[in-house]
PDB file of all heavy atoms in Angstrom:
ATOM      1  N   GLU B 200     -36.516  22.834  24.013  1.00  0.00           N
ATOM      2  CA  GLU B 200     -35.518  21.945  24.498  1.00  0.00           C
ATOM      3  C   GLU B 200     -35.562  21.432  25.858  1.00  0.00           C
ATOM      4  O   GLU B 200     -35.324  20.222  26.147  1.00  0.00           O
ATOM      5  CB  GLU B 200     -34.071  22.441  24.130  1.00  0.00           C
ATOM      6  CG  GLU B 200     -33.152  21.406  23.836  1.00  0.00           C
ATOM      7  CD  GLU B 200     -31.948  21.764  22.896  1.00  0.00           C
ATOM      8  OE1 GLU B 200     -32.224  22.148  21.795  1.00  0.00           O
ATOM      9  OE2 GLU B 200     -30.808  21.811  23.374  1.00  0.00           O
ATOM     10  N   LYS B 204     -35.691  17.462  26.765  1.00  0.00           N
ATOM     11  CA  LYS B 204     -34.731  16.956  27.659  1.00  0.00           C
ATOM     12  C   LYS B 204     -35.412  16.095  28.793  1.00  0.00           C
ATOM     13  O   LYS B 204     -35.004  15.033  29.154  1.00  0.00           O
ATOM     14  CB  LYS B 204     -33.891  18.041  28.281  1.00  0.00           C
ATOM     15  CG  LYS B 204     -32.725  17.529  29.174  1.00  0.00           C
ATOM     16  CD  LYS B 204     -31.520  18.429  29.144  1.00  0.00           C
ATOM     17  CE  LYS B 204     -30.409  17.517  29.815  1.00  0.00           C
ATOM     18  NZ  LYS B 204     -29.117  18.123  29.804  1.00  0.00           N
ATOM     19  N   LEU B 207     -36.664  12.926  27.163  1.00  0.00           N
ATOM     20  CA  LEU B 207     -35.535  11.995  26.977  1.00  0.00           C
ATOM     21  C   LEU B 207     -35.238  11.292  28.303  1.00  0.00           C
ATOM     22  O   LEU B 207     -35.042  10.003  28.378  1.00  0.00           O
ATOM     23  CB  LEU B 207     -34.281  12.780  26.510  1.00  0.00           C
ATOM     24  CG  LEU B 207     -32.988  11.967  26.422  1.00  0.00           C
ATOM     25  CD1 LEU B 207     -33.092  10.865  25.391  1.00  0.00           C
ATOM     26  CD2 LEU B 207     -31.823  12.937  26.010  1.00  0.00           C
ATOM     27  N   ILE B 221     -34.105  17.756  16.884  1.00  0.00           N
ATOM     28  CA  ILE B 221     -33.373  18.844  17.519  1.00  0.00           C
ATOM     29  C   ILE B 221     -33.224  19.977  16.531  1.00  0.00           C
ATOM     30  O   ILE B 221     -33.094  19.788  15.323  1.00  0.00           O
ATOM     31  CB  ILE B 221     -32.005  18.330  18.052  1.00  0.00           C
ATOM     32  CG1 ILE B 221     -32.242  17.198  19.038  1.00  0.00           C
ATOM     33  CG2 ILE B 221     -31.189  19.426  18.642  1.00  0.00           C
ATOM     34  CD1 ILE B 221     -30.945  16.555  19.588  1.00  0.00           C
ATOM     35  N   ARG B 223     -31.225  23.724  15.757  1.00  0.00           N
ATOM     36  CA  ARG B 223     -30.180  24.687  16.060  1.00  0.00           C
ATOM     37  C   ARG B 223     -30.201  25.763  14.943  1.00  0.00           C
ATOM     38  O   ARG B 223     -30.777  25.552  13.877  1.00  0.00           O
ATOM     39  CB  ARG B 223     -28.762  24.029  15.937  1.00  0.00           C
ATOM     40  CG  ARG B 223     -28.384  23.320  17.281  1.00  0.00           C
ATOM     41  CD  ARG B 223     -28.189  24.266  18.364  1.00  0.00           C
ATOM     42  NE  ARG B 223     -27.982  23.648  19.681  1.00  0.00           N
ATOM     43  CZ  ARG B 223     -28.881  23.154  20.548  1.00  0.00           C
ATOM     44  NH1 ARG B 223     -30.180  23.177  20.221  1.00  0.00           N
ATOM     45  NH2 ARG B 223     -28.566  22.619  21.624  1.00  0.00           N
ATOM     46  N   ILE B 237     -23.055  20.734  16.624  1.00  0.00           N
ATOM     47  CA  ILE B 237     -23.412  20.656  18.020  1.00  0.00           C
ATOM     48  C   ILE B 237     -22.262  20.010  18.834  1.00  0.00           C
ATOM     49  O   ILE B 237     -21.523  19.132  18.331  1.00  0.00           O
ATOM     50  CB  ILE B 237     -24.755  19.904  18.222  1.00  0.00           C
ATOM     51  CG1 ILE B 237     -25.331  20.052  19.672  1.00  0.00           C
ATOM     52  CG2 ILE B 237     -24.682  18.468  17.817  1.00  0.00           C
ATOM     53  CD1 ILE B 237     -26.829  19.765  19.767  1.00  0.00           C
ATOM     54  N   ASP B 238     -22.065  20.429  20.064  1.00  0.00           N
ATOM     55  CA  ASP B 238     -20.994  19.968  20.880  1.00  0.00           C
ATOM     56  C   ASP B 238     -21.375  18.653  21.608  1.00  0.00           C
ATOM     57  O   ASP B 238     -22.589  18.535  21.967  1.00  0.00           O
ATOM     58  CB  ASP B 238     -20.609  20.920  21.963  1.00  0.00           C
ATOM     59  CG  ASP B 238     -19.939  22.221  21.336  1.00  0.00           C
ATOM     60  OD1 ASP B 238     -19.523  22.120  20.263  1.00  0.00           O
ATOM     61  OD2 ASP B 238     -19.793  23.145  22.195  1.00  0.00           O
ATOM     62  N   PRO B 239     -20.514  17.700  21.842  1.00  0.00           N
ATOM     63  CA  PRO B 239     -19.056  17.758  21.561  1.00  0.00           C
ATOM     64  C   PRO B 239     -18.723  17.006  20.209  1.00  0.00           C
ATOM     65  O   PRO B 239     -17.559  17.022  19.871  1.00  0.00           O
ATOM     66  CB  PRO B 239     -18.536  17.030  22.739  1.00  0.00           C
ATOM     67  CG  PRO B 239     -19.549  15.865  22.982  1.00  0.00           C
ATOM     68  CD  PRO B 239     -20.858  16.499  22.640  1.00  0.00           C
ATOM     69  N   THR B 240     -19.705  16.466  19.547  1.00  0.00           N
ATOM     70  CA  THR B 240     -19.432  15.644  18.398  1.00  0.00           C
ATOM     71  C   THR B 240     -19.189  16.457  17.115  1.00  0.00           C
ATOM     72  O   THR B 240     -18.533  15.927  16.201  1.00  0.00           O
ATOM     73  CB  THR B 240     -20.587  14.644  18.104  1.00  0.00           C
ATOM     74  OG1 THR B 240     -21.784  15.441  17.858  1.00  0.00           O
ATOM     75  CG2 THR B 240     -20.759  13.676  19.278  1.00  0.00           C
ATOM     76  N   GLY B 241     -19.710  17.650  17.009  1.00  0.00           N
ATOM     77  CA  GLY B 241     -19.568  18.424  15.904  1.00  0.00           C
ATOM     78  C   GLY B 241     -20.592  18.013  14.808  1.00  0.00           C
ATOM     79  O   GLY B 241     -20.577  18.524  13.656  1.00  0.00           O
ATOM     80  N   GLU B 242     -21.522  17.073  15.107  1.00  0.00           N
ATOM     81  CA  GLU B 242     -22.449  16.630  14.139  1.00  0.00           C
ATOM     82  C   GLU B 242     -23.282  17.846  13.664  1.00  0.00           C
ATOM     83  O   GLU B 242     -23.657  18.765  14.483  1.00  0.00           O
ATOM     84  CB  GLU B 242     -23.391  15.586  14.692  1.00  0.00           C
ATOM     85  CG  GLU B 242     -22.720  14.242  14.857  1.00  0.00           C
ATOM     86  CD  GLU B 242     -23.444  13.334  15.760  1.00  0.00           C
ATOM     87  OE1 GLU B 242     -23.414  13.573  16.996  1.00  0.00           O
ATOM     88  OE2 GLU B 242     -24.074  12.293  15.239  1.00  0.00           O
ATOM     89  N   ILE B 244     -26.811  19.384  12.745  1.00  0.00           N
ATOM     90  CA  ILE B 244     -28.171  19.057  12.933  1.00  0.00           C
ATOM     91  C   ILE B 244     -28.912  19.000  11.617  1.00  0.00           C
ATOM     92  O   ILE B 244     -29.844  18.189  11.451  1.00  0.00           O
ATOM     93  CB  ILE B 244     -28.855  20.114  13.854  1.00  0.00           C
ATOM     94  CG1 ILE B 244     -28.130  20.141  15.252  1.00  0.00           C
ATOM     95  CG2 ILE B 244     -30.357  19.833  14.044  1.00  0.00           C
ATOM     96  CD1 ILE B 244     -28.240  18.816  16.022  1.00  0.00           C
ATOM     97  N   PHE B 251     -32.403  12.461  16.243  1.00  0.00           N
ATOM     98  CA  PHE B 251     -31.364  11.761  16.934  1.00  0.00           C
ATOM     99  C   PHE B 251     -32.078  10.751  17.858  1.00  0.00           C
ATOM    100  O   PHE B 251     -33.108  10.995  18.398  1.00  0.00           O
ATOM    101  CB  PHE B 251     -30.533  12.671  17.878  1.00  0.00           C
ATOM    102  CG  PHE B 251     -29.559  13.448  17.139  1.00  0.00           C
ATOM    103  CD1 PHE B 251     -29.999  14.507  16.268  1.00  0.00           C
ATOM    104  CD2 PHE B 251     -28.180  13.288  17.250  1.00  0.00           C
ATOM    105  CE1 PHE B 251     -29.072  15.352  15.625  1.00  0.00           C
ATOM    106  CE2 PHE B 251     -27.263  14.008  16.559  1.00  0.00           C
ATOM    107  CZ  PHE B 251     -27.715  15.063  15.751  1.00  0.00           C
ATOM    108  N   ASP B 252     -31.533   9.459  17.985  1.00  0.00           N
ATOM    109  CA  ASP B 252     -32.063   8.568  18.959  1.00  0.00           C
ATOM    110  C   ASP B 252     -31.588   8.915  20.318  1.00  0.00           C
ATOM    111  O   ASP B 252     -30.611   9.790  20.480  1.00  0.00           O
ATOM    112  CB  ASP B 252     -31.854   7.117  18.589  1.00  0.00           C
ATOM    113  CG  ASP B 252     -30.400   6.762  18.532  1.00  0.00           C
ATOM    114  OD1 ASP B 252     -29.550   7.501  19.244  1.00  0.00           O
ATOM    115  OD2 ASP B 252     -30.013   5.760  17.898  1.00  0.00           O
ATOM    116  N   ALA B 253     -32.121   8.338  21.389  1.00  0.00           N
ATOM    117  CA  ALA B 253     -31.818   8.683  22.790  1.00  0.00           C
ATOM    118  C   ALA B 253     -30.305   8.594  23.080  1.00  0.00           C
ATOM    119  O   ALA B 253     -29.737   9.470  23.648  1.00  0.00           O
ATOM    120  CB  ALA B 253     -32.547   7.760  23.745  1.00  0.00           C
ATOM    121  N   LYS B 254     -29.700   7.598  22.577  1.00  0.00           N
ATOM    122  CA  LYS B 254     -28.217   7.341  22.899  1.00  0.00           C
ATOM    123  C   LYS B 254     -27.441   8.520  22.305  1.00  0.00           C
ATOM    124  O   LYS B 254     -26.615   9.101  23.020  1.00  0.00           O
ATOM    125  CB  LYS B 254     -27.781   6.005  22.386  1.00  0.00           C
ATOM    126  CG  LYS B 254     -26.598   5.559  22.980  1.00  0.00           C
ATOM    127  CD  LYS B 254     -26.228   4.083  22.532  1.00  0.00           C
ATOM    128  CE  LYS B 254     -24.694   3.932  22.828  1.00  0.00           C
ATOM    129  NZ  LYS B 254     -24.213   2.957  21.900  1.00  0.00           N
ATOM    130  N   ARG B 255     -27.674   8.830  21.008  1.00  0.00           N
ATOM    131  CA  ARG B 255     -26.829   9.904  20.463  1.00  0.00           C
ATOM    132  C   ARG B 255     -27.285  11.240  21.040  1.00  0.00           C
ATOM    133  O   ARG B 255     -26.371  12.167  21.249  1.00  0.00           O
ATOM    134  CB  ARG B 255     -27.144   9.934  18.900  1.00  0.00           C
ATOM    135  CG  ARG B 255     -26.260   8.819  18.186  1.00  0.00           C
ATOM    136  CD  ARG B 255     -26.753   8.713  16.736  1.00  0.00           C
ATOM    137  NE  ARG B 255     -26.399   9.987  16.005  1.00  0.00           N
ATOM    138  CZ  ARG B 255     -27.164  10.475  14.994  1.00  0.00           C
ATOM    139  NH1 ARG B 255     -28.359   9.948  14.796  1.00  0.00           N
ATOM    140  NH2 ARG B 255     -26.761  11.571  14.366  1.00  0.00           N
ATOM    141  N   ALA B 256     -28.481  11.450  21.363  1.00  0.00           N
ATOM    142  CA  ALA B 256     -28.831  12.723  21.911  1.00  0.00           C
ATOM    143  C   ALA B 256     -28.233  12.900  23.305  1.00  0.00           C
ATOM    144  O   ALA B 256     -27.805  14.040  23.684  1.00  0.00           O
ATOM    145  CB  ALA B 256     -30.436  12.865  22.013  1.00  0.00           C
ATOM    146  N   ALA B 257     -28.237  11.797  24.083  1.00  0.00           N
ATOM    147  CA  ALA B 257     -27.690  11.916  25.436  1.00  0.00           C
ATOM    148  C   ALA B 257     -26.176  12.228  25.439  1.00  0.00           C
ATOM    149  O   ALA B 257     -25.673  12.804  26.349  1.00  0.00           O
ATOM    150  CB  ALA B 257     -27.952  10.602  26.201  1.00  0.00           C
ATOM    151  N   ALA B 258     -25.503  11.905  24.303  1.00  0.00           N
ATOM    152  CA  ALA B 258     -24.099  12.240  24.173  1.00  0.00           C
ATOM    153  C   ALA B 258     -23.793  13.702  23.915  1.00  0.00           C
ATOM    154  O   ALA B 258     -22.602  14.191  23.965  1.00  0.00           O
ATOM    155  CB  ALA B 258     -23.468  11.303  23.136  1.00  0.00           C
ATOM    156  N   LEU B 259     -24.801  14.401  23.573  1.00  0.00           N
ATOM    157  CA  LEU B 259     -24.651  15.865  23.171  1.00  0.00           C
ATOM    158  C   LEU B 259     -24.672  16.703  24.468  1.00  0.00           C
ATOM    159  O   LEU B 259     -25.649  17.025  25.047  1.00  0.00           O
ATOM    160  CB  LEU B 259     -25.793  16.292  22.213  1.00  0.00           C
ATOM    161  CG  LEU B 259     -25.859  15.438  20.993  1.00  0.00           C
ATOM    162  CD1 LEU B 259     -27.122  15.842  20.121  1.00  0.00           C
ATOM    163  CD2 LEU B 259     -24.607  15.603  20.092  1.00  0.00           C
ATOM    164  N   THR B 260     -23.471  17.077  24.836  1.00  0.00           N
ATOM    165  CA  THR B 260     -23.245  17.848  26.122  1.00  0.00           C
ATOM    166  C   THR B 260     -23.964  19.205  26.044  1.00  0.00           C
ATOM    167  O   THR B 260     -24.327  19.810  27.113  1.00  0.00           O
ATOM    168  CB  THR B 260     -21.799  18.084  26.418  1.00  0.00           C
ATOM    169  OG1 THR B 260     -21.192  18.519  25.230  1.00  0.00           O
ATOM    170  CG2 THR B 260     -21.110  16.771  26.901  1.00  0.00           C
ATOM    171  N   GLU B 261     -24.152  19.710  24.797  1.00  0.00           N
ATOM    172  CA  GLU B 261     -24.788  20.998  24.609  1.00  0.00           C
ATOM    173  C   GLU B 261     -26.309  20.963  24.713  1.00  0.00           C
ATOM    174  O   GLU B 261     -26.962  21.974  25.043  1.00  0.00           O
ATOM    175  CB  GLU B 261     -24.308  21.521  23.236  1.00  0.00           C
ATOM    176  CG  GLU B 261     -25.248  22.536  22.606  1.00  0.00           C
ATOM    177  CD  GLU B 261     -24.660  23.086  21.271  1.00  0.00           C
ATOM    178  OE1 GLU B 261     -23.420  22.881  20.934  1.00  0.00           O
ATOM    179  OE2 GLU B 261     -25.390  23.660  20.530  1.00  0.00           O
ATOM    180  N   PHE B 262     -26.888  19.752  24.483  1.00  0.00           N
ATOM    181  CA  PHE B 262     -28.330  19.631  24.431  1.00  0.00           C
ATOM    182  C   PHE B 262     -28.987  20.010  25.759  1.00  0.00           C
ATOM    183  O   PHE B 262     -28.629  19.529  26.866  1.00  0.00           O
ATOM    184  CB  PHE B 262     -28.661  18.112  24.102  1.00  0.00           C
ATOM    185  CG  PHE B 262     -30.163  17.906  24.016  1.00  0.00           C
ATOM    186  CD1 PHE B 262     -30.902  18.363  22.975  1.00  0.00           C
ATOM    187  CD2 PHE B 262     -30.749  17.058  24.932  1.00  0.00           C
ATOM    188  CE1 PHE B 262     -32.278  18.207  22.951  1.00  0.00           C
ATOM    189  CE2 PHE B 262     -32.130  16.838  24.833  1.00  0.00           C
ATOM    190  CZ  PHE B 262     -32.873  17.367  23.848  1.00  0.00           C
ATOM    191  N   GLY B 263     -29.935  20.936  25.646  1.00  0.00           N
ATOM    192  CA  GLY B 263     -30.653  21.348  26.846  1.00  0.00           C
ATOM    193  C   GLY B 263     -29.878  22.412  27.696  1.00  0.00           C
ATOM    194  O   GLY B 263     -30.441  22.923  28.717  1.00  0.00           O
ATOM    195  N   ARG B 264     -28.690  22.702  27.195  1.00  0.00           N
ATOM    196  CA  ARG B 264     -27.880  23.661  28.033  1.00  0.00           C
ATOM    197  C   ARG B 264     -27.542  24.972  27.298  1.00  0.00           C
ATOM    198  O   ARG B 264     -27.790  26.064  27.837  1.00  0.00           O
ATOM    199  CB  ARG B 264     -26.575  23.018  28.486  1.00  0.00           C
ATOM    200  CG  ARG B 264     -26.868  21.887  29.517  1.00  0.00           C
ATOM    201  CD  ARG B 264     -25.732  20.997  29.745  1.00  0.00           C
ATOM    202  NE  ARG B 264     -24.683  21.733  30.435  1.00  0.00           N
ATOM    203  CZ  ARG B 264     -23.415  21.317  30.566  1.00  0.00           C
ATOM    204  NH1 ARG B 264     -22.998  20.232  29.951  1.00  0.00           N
ATOM    205  NH2 ARG B 264     -22.504  22.125  31.162  1.00  0.00           N
TER     206      ARG B 264
END
Side-chain angles (χ1 to χ4, degrees):
Chain B
E200 212 152 293
K204 187 148 192 173
L207 172 63
I221 300 177
R223 280 295 176 274
I237 192 160
D238 291 346
T240 58
E242 286 164 290
I244 299 298
F251 286 69
D252 63 20
K254 198 171 159 211
R255 281 171 66 219
L259 302 173
T260 47
E261 157 174 344
F262 180 67
R264 295 170 65 198

